[in-house]
Amino acid sequence: MSTTSINALVDAEQGSSLWRDAWLRLSRNRPALAGFAVLTLFVLVAILTPWVAPYDYAQQNLELGATPPSADHWLGTDIFGRDLLTQIMYGGRISLAVGFIATAVALLIGVSWGAIAGYMGGRIDAVMMRLVDILYALPFMIFIVLLMVVFGRNMLLLFLAIGAVEWLTMARIMRAQVQSLRQQEFVEAAVSLGLSPLAIIWRHVIPNALGPIIVYTTLTVPSVMLLEAFLSFLGLGVQPPETSWGLLISFGTETMEEYPWLLFFPGLVLAITLFALNFLGDGLRDALDVRGAKD
Amino acid sequence: MIALLLGACGSDEPRVAQGNRQGILHFGNGTEPQGLDPHVVTGIPEMHVIVTLFEGLVTKNPHTLEPEPGVAKRWNISEDGLTVTFHLNDSAKWSNGDPVTAYDFVWSWQRALSPKMGNQYAYMLYPVKNAEAFATGEITDFSDVGVTATDAQTLVVTLNAPTPYFIQLMDHQSTYPVHRQTIEKFGNAFDRFTPWTRVENIVSNGAFRLTDWKLNRRIEVTKSDTYWDRDKVALNGVVFYPTENISTEERMFRVGQLHRTESIPLDKIPVYRAMQDSPYINSPYLGTYYYLFNTSKPPLDNLNVRKALSLAIDRRRLTETVMHGSTLPAYSITPPGTLGYEPPKVFEHDVEQARELLAQAGYPNGKGWPGLELVYNTSESHLKVAVALQQMWKDALNIDITLANEEWKVYLDTVDQMDFQMARRGWIGDYVDPNNFLDLFLCDGGNNSTGFCDPVYDDMILQQAPRATTREARYATFQAAETRLMEQMPIVPIYTYTSNHLVQPGVRGMSSNVMDWINFKYISLDQDQGTVD
Amino acid sequence: MWRFIGSRLLQAIPVLLVVITVTFFLVRVAPGGPFSSEKAVTPEVKAALEAQYRLDRPVLEQYIAYLGDLIRGDLGPSFKYPGRSVNELIAAGFPVTAELALYALLVALLIGVGAGVVASLRPNTAQDYIPMSAAMIGICIPSLLLGPLLILVFGIYLDWLPVSGWGDMPGDKILPAITLGAVYAAYIARLSRAGMLEVMTQDYIRTARAKGIPEWRVVVVHGLRGGLTPVVAFLGPAFAGLLSGSFVVETIFQVPGLGRFYVQAAFNRDYTMILGATVFLSSLIVVFNLLSDVLNAWMNPRLRSRAGQNT
């Protein structure tokens, strides 16, 4: 066997035990498990909504208008007399999809970009990070409006547009992490063993830098859901009668004194999602943090 | 005791109560004015400030909207209706003490019409002989334009044709006088950019003068002591606040920071309406809210489809539920009651007939319906109307309409290029005359945007109506034209706008009219009144 | 250190140039021009307006003319506000936004560091969860909602504070600052908690404790300096974010700041104002990121030498 293949084998073994240990630690973390359970439940409900929703989401009753929670409508109705619970369930389909997919896009681009820039350093790093600076500075709104004109309105573009802004900060955080990791012994050891830079980044650097990334990601998902409401305002995103949590919240805000339930329930659902994500995120970080575990 | 405690917490006497004592009106003005040059800017917030600072030949009675003396103390119209002579008030003064003369008007109109100014309201002067030719650059010698000063107090205007509403136009900011020496002192007189309207530079001739202007914060005007009718002016000043966010504006009103709001959030209407001595003012406004049909694209090239869509809308239900009764159902483009003109009503809500029409068009019960997209600019109230109509069409005709909101400027482009099937639109009259609404749909009308073109209609508006000798005959022609228009249905009228404001109980003399026009000179404040709770 | 600062500033020049160029062409391709309005403008009027703003010239010529003006510090006339220059608009709005951002940052630091440090002292207990959850609320309540909520409670129901304005009435700066700072408080709380947790297990803290120094001194004097490093690194981007992200708060509270001008400019297609504000804000962001890196290196001696080597 060549040295490289031995190394690969060792790596693979190390890798798998790292993940296994992490899973073990995670499964002992109650808040994290609870968070995971809540998110799974939300996703399940979102998937099953067309079959389990109590009402048709578009059906209006203008004469009924906005009514507080009642036996017929558990969470009340909106100004068109539509059932709020149904609206939240359908809104969840969009918001969860946007939240998770757009964040995943941002994560993928941001983490790879930041890791490569941070690891390579020097001129490559400078060019890559200045590109990030440029994208930061461009007027976002005009950018979105243009994207829409060029590509027309569709959901794919929505994911792309959100991913396109959110990856920038991810890249910065990742780069900072990688820069400090690069000096550490285990990376230098891997370099001296002759592993390719990409392999080192993927196997050694990224897993060790995941902590802050996970924390930032859990914060990103809810803000992405709210960003979607702004993009809908620009015309990208969902069109009525479809809705999303972000839209329900922004409409609810307008009438928070007259019809507080229209704000409270969508807000509550978003807050629960945020906390669930947070507990899960913290659990994941602790589980993956080798140093913390040794302590 | 409680009041004392609260006072200690830093909450002063409400601005409104203080204003009532000092005679200062605190006015919610929508957005920050673009500027204060009467020949450059166009919007309503701008107009509110400008009418306090400047005065035209005539001004309007706030109740009847009939012209009353401004800088001109009287005027006569020649027998043939082609010559108007204005006799100026010799006590009319600029804020620096200079007299306002007929020469000022001639020069000001030259400025207002000069092509380089890019004045979007230059057309207000187009009834004047050769004014249009001068504004479009066809002629360059202003002495050919039909306005001359025979002496300092006499202005003679020659018209292209008898124009019944001409005197009314003399109250439009585009016809206002501006002070030549001041403008020339601060740059080229025919340049849009000159800083002559800044607080430290401006010279004006209205009931008030500009005393403070902080961008995006406040504009303050103070009673002018050179104004000819100053004894009638009750207010000591007005402060205008830019209030883009209508929810913020409503909260400012509620805590007594504003005497009057520019608008009111839809869902607050029932709350305010239910109040005793309600501060909510709602009155018909000279504007119509409608959807444009693109008659050059299927399926709306089919008249039956257009009619079916229009007949299927239950306008009363829409205005009473979603709009909380703040607007009135509309069945024509001209709003009712524009100086005695009553628009025809050629159709009404009729679901049965709508279904039949749709079947005739080849879509019985929505079968084979190719789909239709409605474009509207992003706004909560447009959204609400669209969502309600979407469902009405679905219920009545079993057809799907998709909604597409666009950011304002994108929407303007879409409408301008007719790159839509159906689009939201609103039109607010610039002057009180059916002509201002009906000439929208001329074949080459810049705001037509429907593809509608009917030579007979054009002939009625452009040839027959102006030749009518009496108001009745003229209105009859307009009615015939409007009937013709609505039978071809290039638009769906939805509702007539109303002006919606919150006004504190201490405000007197702010009367409602279809132009939502305020004559600040007649407003007074009752110092014994507090604020609405 | 000076070489590091110098090279970063040099790098900023091409960055700004690309930003200007891209923005310049971006706004011109975007649908809807500065003069489109609901009432159609006649061709003559449109031509006159375009001539006044050089829009009738070839785009490349406009671009070169713009760069020329820019070098002289002239950001051009505003399209939306005839008679006002973009320099003037920025000069009017920026001090207000900067003041608001500064107060917001103080609020965020106060709440964030407070919650983070308290939480880190007893991790995974109620003393951890409660302050962290409270700080977290800032993230899931957007300013669009927090602002009106605070106004309703403190401005209307309790009548303690003004509901809008900036410097017009005593206390009217409090609510906007809290609303804007709340989002960042959550980030700072997380960062300072993590930083403190890491530092408090270090040897020098153990040494300090072993010496019998009182616990509060250990935390405040020894712990904070190292534990707040991540927070300091975040300050630059945070302040930059506050400066460019204050639009919503400014609108809700009628604060006459740059954010309102900037976003309105985008809606109005006020080409020169969009460009001017973009150039101005991105220059600021460059400076703040740099400052934060320098400060970070100064606080963390281990990084100091590396900062000199890198880039």
Side-chain angles (χ1 to χ4, degrees), chain B residues 9 34 115-116 192-193 198 213 215 217 242-244 248 252 257 407 409 413 424-425 428 430 446-447, chain C residues 32-34 36 38-40 48-49 52-53 80 83-84 88 160 164 166 252 254 256 260 264 267 269:
Chain B
C9 290
Q34 285 185 273
K116 250 198 89 189
R192 287 166 69 85
F193 294 137
R198 302 295 175 85
W213 184 3
L215 272 179
R217 200 178 282 218
T243 48
E244 295 131 28
T248 305
M252 288 169 78
Q257 283 188 30
E407 183 256 349
K409 290 277 182 178
D413 239 32
R424 182 212 77 89
R425 196 76 159 134
I428 310 290
D430 291 317
N447 295 297
Chain C
S36 60
E38 188 149 31
K39 301 203 170 175
L49 293 173
Q52 290 222 338
Y53 291 92
K80 172 76 178 170
R84 298 209 183 252
E88 186 188 349
W160 288 351
S164 75
W166 187 256
I252 295 171
Q254 303 277 3
R260 251 164 97 194
Q264 278 166 16
F267 282 128
R269 306 290 189 274

Side-chain angles (χ1 to χ4, degrees), chain B residues 4-294:
Chain B
L4 252 175
L5 270 174
L6 290 178
C9 290
S11 165
D12 292 331
E13 178 188 17
R15 211 147 58 188
V16 162
Q18 204 182 345
N20 285 349
R21 271 191 292 104
Q22 300 167 341
I24 306 284
L25 181 74
H26 296 279
F27 191 95
N29 197 26
T31 55
E32 170 71 17
Q34 285 185 273
L36 295 178
D37 188 327
H39 300 159
V40 171
V41 298
T42 51
I44 289 169
E46 288 80 0
M47 184 196 76
H48 281 146
V49 184
I50 285 173
V51 297
T52 64
L53 297 176
F54 295 91
E55 188 177 69
L57 288 166
V58 305
T59 167
K60 275 192 284 274
N61 181 295
H63 303 283
T64 62
L65 293 184
E66 294 295 339
E68 56 179 53
V71 173
K73 61 184 177 205
R74 59 191 170 83
W75 51 91
N76 19 31
I77 303 169
S78 66
E79 201 111 314
D80 59 1
L82 290 176
T83 311
V84 185
T85 310
F86 293 96
H87 301 278
L88 271 55
N89 186 335
D90 56 9
S91 54
K93 295 249 167 37
W94 292 98
S95 56
N96 66 352
D98 290 355
V100 182
T101 65
Y103 307 111
D104 285 329
F105 277 92
V106 176
W107 186 79
S108 299
W109 287 14
Q110 180 177 354
R111 181 172 186 266
L113 283 170
S114 108
K116 250 198 89 189
M117 287 293 295
N119 177 10
Q120 293 179 40
Y121 274 125
Y123 70 84
M124 285 293 170
L125 285 166
Y126 282 5
V128 177
K129 197 176 155 205
N130 282 335
E132 184 166 6
F134 182 80
T136 52
E138 268 172 56
I139 59 168
T140 49
D141 187 357
F142 191 71
S143 59
D144 291 337
V145 178
V147 54
T148 43
T150 50
D151 63 57
Q153 255 76 54
T154 315
L155 188 73
V156 181
V157 181
T158 322
L159 305 179
N160 287 321
T163 312
Y165 52 88
F166 181 72
I167 301 296
Q168 226 195 86
L169 299 180
M170 295 301 97
D171 182 44
H172 193 275
Q173 64 196 49
S174 198
T175 71
Y176 281 2
V178 289
H179 192 252
R180 181 173 187 171
Q181 286 77 17
T182 307
I183 296 176
E184 285 176 341
K185 196 158 93 193
F186 295 103
N188 182 345
F190 299 100
D191 191 340
R192 287 166 69 85
F193 294 137
T194 48
W196 73 273
T197 52
R198 302 295 175 85
V199 181
E200 59 278 16
N201 306 340
I202 192 167
V203 171
S204 59
N205 73 326
F208 299 86
R209 61 196 171 79
L210 187 66
T211 42
D212 190 21
W213 184 3
K214 292 201 180 73
L215 272 179
N216 256 348
R217 200 178 282 218
R218 69 204 296 267
I219 292 180
E220 182 191 276
V221 300
T222 307
K223 183 177 174 177
S224 165
D225 43 19
T226 59
Y227 179 58
W228 64 272
D229 204 11
R230 57 189 167 272
D231 296 340
K232 271 213 198 121
V233 180
L235 288 176
N236 287 320
V238 186
V239 185
F240 297 91
Y241 299 89
T243 48
E244 295 131 28
N245 183 316
I246 58 170
S247 303
T248 305
E249 189 184 38
E250 186 271 333
R251 290 189 289 259
M252 288 169 78
F253 180 85
R254 212 180 329 165
V255 296
Q257 283 188 30
L258 294 177
H259 275 109
R260 176 264 191 198
T261 66
E262 180 64 25
S263 51
I264 170 172
L266 257 186
D267 292 294
K268 294 268 189 246
I269 289 175
V271 181
Y272 277 100
R273 190 184 276 139
M275 280 182 180
Q276 232 180 349
D277 303 319
S278 172
Y280 172 61
I281 308 285
N282 169 260
S283 65
Y285 188 43
L286 191 64
T288 305
Y289 186 100
Y290 56 99
Y291 285 168
L292 295 165
F293 284 147
N294 188 340

Side-chain angles (χ1 to χ4, degrees), chain C residues 5-265:
Chain C
I5 296 176
S7 91
R8 280 283 293 269
L9 284 179
L10 270 179
Q11 282 180 20
I13 293 172
V15 168
L16 288 178
L17 195 68
V18 175
V19 168
I20 293 165
T21 312
V22 175
T23 311
F24 185 90
F25 291 100
L26 214 58
V27 293
R28 276 167 175 74
V29 229
F35 306 123
S36 60
S37 75
E38 188 149 31
K39 301 203 170 175
V41 177
T42 61
E44 298 85 31
V45 169
K46 201 166 176 204
L49 293 173
E50 287 182 344
Q52 290 222 338
Y53 291 92
R54 297 196 292 230
L55 287 185
D56 52 343
R57 317 264 181 86
V59 179
L60 213 61
E61 193 187 323
Q62 293 177 37
Y63 173 66
I64 291 165
Y66 183 80
L67 286 186
D69 288 348
L70 193 64
I71 289 168
R72 277 180 277 114
D74 177 5
L75 297 172
S78 159
F79 282 72
K80 172 76 178 170
Y81 301 103
R84 298 209 183 252
S85 69
V86 171
N87 297 54
E88 186 188 349
L89 296 179
I90 292 179
F94 178 68
V96 175
T97 298
E99 195 186 346
L100 171 62
L102 192 69
Y103 295 155
L105 194 64
L106 289 179
V107 169
L109 279 174
L110 219 65
I111 301 176
V113 172
V117 170
V118 168
S120 72
L121 295 181
R122 291 188 200 287
N124 301 323
T125 63
Q127 192 187 330
D128 180 8
Y129 294 137
I130 293 170
M132 289 309 286
S133 302
M136 207 58 58
I137 288 172
I139 292 199
C140 65
I141 303 190
S143 326
L144 196 70
L145 167 52
L146 184 61
L149 214 57
L150 289 175
I151 293 175
L152 273 188
V153 175
F154 296 101
I156 293 180
Y157 298 149
L158 297 174
D159 195 18
W160 288 351
L161 294 166
V163 299
S164 75
W166 187 256
D168 301 333
M169 273 169 284
D172 62 6
K173 295 180 181 176
I174 297 175
L175 291 183
I178 294 177
T179 310
L180 185 58
V183 176
Y184 288 86
Y187 286 90
I188 290 178
R190 297 218 59 142
L191 286 169
S192 47
R193 175 179 178 271
M196 287 300 285
L197 277 180
E198 181 155 356
V199 164
M200 294 307 280
T201 58
Q202 303 264 326
D203 293 341
Y204 73 96
I205 297 286
R206 289 183 187 158
T207 317
R209 282 203 183 115
K211 278 191 201 154
I213 295 171
E215 184 64 20
W216 68 267
R217 274 205 64 156
V218 174
V219 172
V220 174
V221 178
H222 302 269
L224 280 185
R225 175 148 182 201
L228 291 191
T229 316
V231 175
V232 172
F234 180 65
L235 284 186
F239 194 63
L242 286 166
L243 281 179
S244 50
S246 58
F247 160 69
V248 174
V249 173
E250 286 180 8
T251 307
I252 295 171
F253 291 93
Q254 303 277 3
V255 176
L258 186 58
R260 251 164 97 194
F261 281 121
Y262 189 23
V263 175
Q264 278 166 16

Side-chain angles (χ1 to χ4, degrees), chain A residues 229-270:
Chain A
F230 174 67
L231 294 184
S232 294
F233 175 81
L234 291 181
L236 184 63
V238 299
Q239 290 294 333
E242 284 178 3
T243 190
S244 68
W245 292 347
L247 282 178
L248 287 172
I249 290 176
S250 65
F251 290 133
T253 305
E254 301 287 326
T255 54
M256 60 197 221
E257 280 181 279
E258 292 78 31
Y259 320 122
W261 59 94
L262 292 181
L263 173 61
F264 180 75
F265 293 113
L268 188 68
V269 173
L270 185 73

